[in-house]
Amino acid sequence: MSLDGRPGDRREGPSPVTGNGVVLEDSNRPALAPMSSQRLRLIPNKDHNPDNYDDMELDFSPSIFTSLERFLPPSMLGMPRHDKVKFMTEILLKYLPHGERNRVQKHRDYRQKIISNYQPLHRELYSMHPATTFVAPFLKAVSDNTEESFRRIMSEPSPGVFTFEMFQPQFCELLLSEVENFEKWVNEAKFRIMRPNTMNKYGAVLDDFGLETMLDKLMENFIRPISKVFFAEVGGSTLDSHHGFVVEYGEDRDADLGFHVDDSEVTLNVCLGKQFSGGELFFRGTRCDKHVNSGSHSEEIFDYSHVPGCAVLHRGRHRHGARATTSGHRINLLLWCRSSVFREMKKYQKDFSSWCGECLREKKERQRISIRATKRELLRREGESTA
């Protein structure tokens, strides 16, 4: 894998390329190599404590810059934030096609228009307050930050699907009230909003009306530590961006959701309420792109019934869908957590047997055939030796 920053194909996340050739001048330090000759590290510097970029006007989420900083060459780690941001922004923009840059700018303008006009109902939601957001056992598990502490509060009813109690009822009620207030404003202002994805006709993107920073904290401080333990093979330890939204099911809303995979490495799905029947999630095994339409095996089939305040955490490539909500009104919070580092590395991988069920089956079959052939060869040689 080349890390020398030469242009290539389109990248979905921070790509290993260099910046714009700006040299940092400092008479008190040895001369540094021009940025154009700098290379990203292949392995992140885990001992480095990256800067916080939340207070800066950026083209991308602040958490992306914080995560990418660990991959900067050692000579750049002591640079001022402004210089590091400039270098990393060049990395991110270089592989965005011109049309994509226009789309990003239009969405930024769209989001700014909402934030400038929408008046939040519960401003306390827009900052992370763990003590009033999460149930005590969940907070204790994250504080202890061990596999044992996580497993104490979790169930794994099907391989790779983890369920646990997460949100306090009052937090669920506040978030539902905020979403309803936003939708009321949308209708009164006759403002056309973007829906969460191409599958849902109802719901709202929470990031678009100001909750992005709070959801960043949710991912960084609470989901990433868990994902580092249970989903390391799909970038669980390097989650650096998210797509946060709510979906709505029931009468006059979406009825169900077809069989699909998420555009995420790790997905958090939490039921917020209200009263409803039906709407079960059904899972059918994790697959890579090559095997996404392959059949399911009995051990991969699992159905889950939602409980308000309780979370489901799974790989984004874990195939799933939602059955029809037959009565009432169900609203869920979804957080698609992504790793730009994993997405870059995945382009150079050919074996996904560590997480793709079908790749693993094929690998085991190849091993079985190889062992059988080896046994036959040994028997043949033994027979020749006896003769």
Side-chain angles (χ1 to χ4, degrees):
M1 174 179 172
S2 173
L3 293 179
D4 60 2
R6 295 184 179 90
D9 57 352
R10 174 181 173 179
R11 309 291 181 182
E12 294 183 54
S15 306
V17 296
T18 56
N20 54 11
V22 176
V23 181
L24 178 65
E25 306 228 357
D26 188 340
S27 59
N28 297 320
R29 292 189 300 181
L32 298 174
M35 284 190 183
S36 58
S37 66
Q38 300 281 6
R39 300 185 179 190
L40 290 179
R41 298 166 56 99
L42 180 62
I43 305 298
N45 184 345
K46 295 182 179 179
D47 296 328
H48 175 65
N49 186 24
D51 284 321
N52 185 294
Y53 297 92
D54 289 343
D55 61 327
M56 300 181 71
E57 291 293 329
L58 304 169
D59 292 328
F60 300 91
S61 170
S63 62
I64 292 181
F65 291 91
T66 300
S67 178
L68 186 58
E69 184 177 321
R70 294 182 185 274
F71 291 84
L72 294 179
S75 59
M76 295 186 64
L77 295 179
M79 287 185 173
R81 285 193 309 166
H82 174 78
D83 292 328
K84 288 187 286 190
V85 163
K86 190 172 185 180
F87 176 74
M88 290 187 283
T89 299
E90 286 294 324
I91 289 177
L92 296 165
L93 289 177
K94 187 175 291 257
Y95 285 92
L96 275 180
H98 183 69
E100 181 69 6
R101 294 190 193 191
N102 288 340
R103 187 195 69 78
V104 169
Q105 183 59 49
K106 286 181 180 178
H107 189 260
R108 188 181 300 118
D109 295 342
Y110 159 83
R111 183 175 288 183
Q112 187 57 47
K113 186 176 181 180
I114 292 177
I115 294 174
S116 298
N117 291 279
Y118 173 65
Q119 296 298 316
L121 182 63
H122 302 291
R123 292 192 177 274
E124 63 270 29
L125 285 173
Y126 291 75
S127 299
M128 173 55 70
H129 302 288
T132 56
T133 299
F134 305 108
V135 295
F138 177 80
L139 278 178
K140 178 68 165 56
V142 174
S143 175
D144 292 346
N145 195 22
T146 65
E147 180 174 349
E148 182 183 3
S149 69
F150 294 140
R151 288 197 179 276
R152 277 200 297 265
I153 65 164
M154 290 179 168
S155 296
E156 190 178 5
S158 182
V161 179
F162 297 90
T163 64
F164 49 95
E165 188 179 0
M166 186 176 188
F167 288 151
Q168 293 187 25
Q170 185 180 6
F171 175 80
C172 293
E173 293 171 5
L174 286 176
L175 188 53
L176 286 173
S177 176
E178 189 68 44
V179 170
E180 290 174 356
N181 187 64
F182 175 69
E183 291 178 337
K184 178 182 177 183
W185 173 81
V186 167
N187 292 329
E188 292 177 349
K190 294 182 171 53
F191 192 91
R192 184 180 178 184
I193 64 170
M194 297 180 184
R195 294 303 177 183
N197 51 61
T198 58
M199 299 176 291
N200 291 98
K201 296 179 181 178
Y202 296 90
V205 179
L206 300 176
D207 300 316
D208 285 346
F209 61 94
L211 287 165
E212 181 179 23
T213 299
M214 186 274 284
L215 294 176
D216 266 341
K217 298 301 181 185
L218 172 59
M219 180 191 71
E220 293 172 10
N221 299 334
F222 300 94
I223 303 306
R224 191 160 60 193
I226 299 173
S227 299
K228 181 179 180 180
V229 173
F230 298 110
F231 302 119
E233 74 286 348
V234 293
S237 63
T238 57
L239 301 176
D240 54 17
S241 65
H242 75 265
H243 177 49
F245 56 96
V246 291
V247 290
E248 302 181 52
Y249 296 92
E251 187 177 354
D252 299 326
R253 295 292 188 269
D254 289 316
D256 54 20
L257 188 62
F259 195 47
H260 67 284
V261 294
D262 297 336
D263 182 15
S264 69
E265 274 60 72
V266 177
T267 292
L268 173 73
N269 186 340
V270 190
C271 181
L272 301 176
K274 304 175 178 179
Q275 297 293 323
F276 59 90
S277 299
E280 297 85 359
L281 278 179
F282 59 91
F283 291 91
R284 296 296 182 267
T286 309
R287 296 291 186 273
C288 64
D289 290 338
K290 177 182 176 182
H291 298 118
V292 69
N293 292 314
S294 63
S296 300
H297 300 266
S298 59
E299 67 273 14
E300 297 177 319
I301 297 174
F302 171 66
D303 285 18
Y304 170 79
S305 297
H306 287 289
V307 177
C310 292
V312 184
L313 193 69
H314 60 86
R315 296 177 184 87
R317 298 295 306 186
H318 204 136
R319 301 177 301 177
H320 61 285
R323 304 193 190 283
T325 297
T326 53
S327 66
H329 188 193
R330 177 171 68 85
I331 303 179
N332 281 49
L333 163 67
L334 276 296
L335 193 67
W336 286 357
C337 304
R338 296 160 174 163
S339 168
S340 53
V341 174
F342 173 76
R343 294 189 176 202
E344 180 64 27
M345 298 300 184
K346 191 171 69 170
K347 297 174 184 178
Y348 302 91
Q349 294 178 347
K350 295 181 180 179
D351 178 22
F352 303 109
S353 58
S354 64
W355 54 271
C356 171
E358 202 60 30
C359 282
L360 179 59
R361 266 179 280 278
E362 290 180 354
K363 183 177 182 178
K364 288 181 176 179
E365 179 62 17
R366 290 194 301 269
Q367 291 173 340
R368 187 184 66 81
I369 293 173
S370 176
I371 291 172
R372 188 168 59 184
T374 300
K375 286 182 177 178
R376 282 202 303 264
E377 179 63 18
L378 290 174
L379 289 172
R380 185 187 65 79
R381 291 181 181 181
E382 183 180 349
E384 289 179 352
S385 176
T386 302

